Amino acid sequence: MINVAIDGPSGAGKSSISREAARRLGYIYVDTGAMYRAAALYVMQHRIDPEDAEAIGRILPMLDIELKNDNGEQKVYLCGENVSRVIRTREVTRCAPIVSANPKVRQCLSDMQQEMAQKNNIIMDGRDIGTVVLPNADVKIFLTASPEVRARRRHKEMLEKGMDATYEEVLTDIRERDYYDENKPISPLKPARDSILLDTSEIDFEQSVQLVVDTIKNKISK
Ligand code: DC
């Protein structure tokens, strides 16, 4: 099985670029950020304090996350319910980093992710895929862009989806999340030693997809 790990900060376009690159290569796309968001929503639905590791540990065995492909679109199911939209709200976005810092949550989701990678040719995107989840991935890419470019893109995306936020709010959120992701004690965001660094600040979506596809083809042909 071919395993491609794509890591990088939030808003670098990882998900949309990885999804399209996977489609062109005929691989399955696994959005691990969506899985952490679903886990955060699960904690919120149970009205548990996201910092309460013990309470989270108690409900974790019942956590059921499924990624399904519906007409080419990836849908996220939490305990049988389609939560694809609600996991993108600001509330869930704010809760996700706290829940994802929980080692038991990371272990649980990492097990699910490794199982998916064993059975399929995949592109998996996240924060710790090349470093922790798939340390033996065939290709490791670290995809990044400047905070301002990422905020501009994310803000535009939110407005298109009818969500309400200012550019400044989005930029503040991105900076806070970068700081948190880079400094968290477990699985901090950092490029794997053997990853290929790609910066999309100056290139558009199509060029980014092409760059990722070419990088993958190049690496696996060697
Ligand atoms: O990529 P995203 O914004 O959808 O990620 C949502 C949250 O999950 C974010 O706080 C980072 C976290 N995350 C993680 O800790 N590990 C991953 N492999 C993927 C995401």
Side-chain angles (χ1 to χ4, degrees):
M1 291 298 142
I2 304 282
N3 286 182
V4 179
I6 301 190
D7 292 301
S10 72
K14 277 190 322 272
S15 310
S16 42
I17 295 168
S18 304
R19 183 182 300 116
E20 180 56 19
R23 196 188 64 77
R24 291 188 195 177
L25 290 163
Y27 294 2
I28 293 200
Y29 165 59
V30 182
D31 178 354
T32 66
M35 296 171 76
Y36 281 97
R37 286 167 180 270
L41 178 64
Y42 181 67
V43 169
M44 288 163 72
Q45 285 175 343
H46 283 80
R47 301 190 184 287
I48 288 174
D49 173 357
E51 312 253 12
D52 188 343
E54 207 179 297
I56 293 177
R58 276 199 297 275
I59 61 164
L60 211 49
M62 281 82 73
L63 175 63
D64 170 24
I65 298 173
E66 258 188 297
L67 301 180
K68 287 190 199 169
N69 224 347
D70 263 7
N71 292 327
E73 247 189 88
Q74 195 160 75
K75 298 274 160 62
V76 186
Y77 285 79
L78 173 62
C79 302
E81 186 196 347
N82 182 353
V83 296
S84 315
R85 216 181 136 75
V86 65
I87 58 167
R88 304 289 162 193
T89 57
R90 214 165 166 223
E91 291 71 34
V92 175
T93 301
R94 283 179 164 272
C95 185
I98 309 169
V99 171
S100 68
N102 180 309
K104 284 193 185 140
V105 172
R106 298 209 75 82
Q107 187 63 54
C108 172
L109 295 196
S110 174
D111 289 348
M112 289 185 200
Q113 291 154 9
Q114 284 171 347
E115 201 179 313
M116 291 178 198
Q118 271 166 17
K119 295 187 198 144
N120 306 286
N121 288 335
I122 51 126
I123 292 186
M124 187 176 283
D125 86 345
R127 302 292 192 287
D128 61 339
I129 309 307
T131 48
V132 178
V133 181
L134 304 175
N136 299 319
D138 304 271
V139 188
K140 296 182 187 179
I141 292 173
F142 196 83
L143 202 64
T144 187
S146 73
E148 292 76 15
V149 168
R150 288 187 277 133
R152 213 163 49 229
R153 289 177 185 163
R154 173 77 33 118
H155 184 227
K156 184 165 168 267
E157 208 177 272
M158 288 174 85
L159 293 184
E160 281 165 5
K161 285 184 184 157
M163 292 174 176
D164 187 28
T166 66
Y167 166 78
E168 284 71 26
E169 279 170 348
V170 178
L171 182 60
T172 304
D173 284 358
I174 281 193
R175 287 194 199 280
E176 273 177 18
R177 286 172 68 196
D178 279 1
Y179 184 82
Y180 197 96
D181 283 346
E182 285 161 13
N183 293 286
K184 62 186 183 201
I186 310 155
S187 299
L189 174 67
K190 62 167 193 285
R193 255 186 301 116
D194 47 352
S195 66
I196 300 160
L197 201 74
L198 303 180
D199 189 320
T200 70
S201 299
E202 307 288 336
I203 55 175
D204 68 13
F205 176 73
E206 175 55 34
Q207 291 168 320
S208 306
V209 173
Q210 203 52 53
L211 183 61
V212 166
V213 169
D214 290 345
T215 304
I216 294 169
K217 283 188 179 162
N218 225 325
K219 188 83 205 288
I220 55 182
S221 69
K222 277 184 190 152

